[in-house]
Amino acid sequence: MSKEILDRLPGIVERFRELSSQLEQPEIYRNPRELARISREHSRLKRVIELMDEYRSLLDRVEKDESLLTSEDTELARLAREEIEKAEKRLEFLEQE
């Protein structure tokens, strides 16, 4: 997941909300083909949003943990380093998604 994708998140969220609103309308259920199309796109965007939220959360965690690396408490610094390594592995995985 790149910065450009994160920059597109507001548009993706807006489209997701539009689709959610359409799925709440009773008339959409009269057209099974359109319902299927909207449902597929809604499901795909939901997954994208979930991944982006996790990605941003991991970035925040890495940033916070990096501030602990210079701690005089060596145990705290070690734990922060371990957490950063875990988060960076997960970030790499998410970037492939």
Side-chain angles (χ1 to χ4, degrees):
M1 203 168 306
S2 67
K3 182 177 175 347
E4 355 177 303
I5 293 175
L6 289 174
D7 290 344
R8 291 180 34 210
L9 183 58
I12 292 170
V13 169
E14 179 60 29
R15 178 65 179 153
F16 178 79
R17 287 184 182 141
E18 290 171 6
L19 294 170
S20 295
S21 177
Q22 288 177 16
L23 288 171
E24 293 173 356
Q25 302 303 314
E27 51 277 353
I28 191 67
Y29 294 93
R30 293 188 203 126
N31 185 341
R33 189 172 287 159
E34 184 66 5
L35 174 61
R37 184 192 68 75
I38 290 172
S39 294
R40 277 191 306 273
E41 185 179 357
H42 183 268
S43 178
R44 183 181 59 80
L45 291 180
K46 181 179 180 183
R47 176 74 176 140
V48 169
I49 291 168
E50 289 169 350
L51 290 171
M52 289 178 160
D53 286 345
E54 181 181 0
Y55 190 85
R56 286 193 307 188
S57 175
L58 287 166
L59 288 176
D60 289 344
R61 184 179 351 158
V62 167
E63 185 178 323
K64 288 175 185 171
D65 288 344
E66 283 176 341
S67 69
L68 299 173
L69 290 175
T70 59
S71 172
E72 291 182 17
D73 182 340
T74 58
E75 181 64 15
L76 184 59
R78 183 186 66 75
L79 290 172
R81 193 170 15 267
E82 288 176 7
E83 289 300 312
I84 290 169
E85 289 173 8
K86 287 180 196 174
E88 286 177 341
K89 285 179 183 175
R90 182 66 181 159
L91 285 167
E92 287 176 23
F93 174 78
L94 291 175
E95 287 173 354
Q96 302 305 313
E97 285 290 305

